[in-house]
Amino acid sequence: MTDPALDRLRALEDAGFPLHSLSPEQREVLQDLSAEELTLLLGLKERLDAAEPEVQAHSEIAGGALF
């Protein structure tokens, strides 16, 4: 049987969250997320990642002045 807290951290890490740069206390907060909170956080990350290329393109063109 797997540990649900470790499963949550693995899901976040697989999604690209930089868990290695977080403090133990911050990782503990993420371990304690409810299923609904995890789903929300992963969904937000996905949407932010999808918007990233557009923001980067604007940044490169305008030198970041707009963002």
Side-chain angles (χ1 to χ4, degrees), residues 15-32:
F17 283 87
L19 299 183
H20 63 279
S21 65
L22 299 178
S23 71
E25 294 82 7
Q26 290 170 320
R27 283 192 297 275
E28 188 175 324
V29 168
L30 294 175
Q31 283 178 228
D32 293 337

Side-chain angles (χ1 to χ4, degrees), residues 5-65:
L6 294 178
D7 288 345
R8 286 189 283 279
L9 290 180
R10 184 177 309 271
L12 292 169
E13 194 168 47
D14 289 348
F17 283 87
L19 299 183
H20 63 279
S21 65
L22 299 178
S23 71
E25 294 82 7
Q26 290 170 320
R27 283 192 297 275
E28 188 175 324
V29 168
L30 294 175
Q31 283 178 228
D32 293 337
L33 291 175
S34 68
E36 293 82 13
E37 291 170 324
L38 179 62
T39 298
L40 176 64
L41 191 55
L42 292 172
L44 289 170
K45 173 82 166 71
E46 185 177 318
R47 290 171 54 195
L48 289 170
D49 287 349
E52 186 175 313
E54 180 180 340
V55 172
Q56 283 182 339
H58 287 236
S59 174
E60 292 169 9
I61 292 169

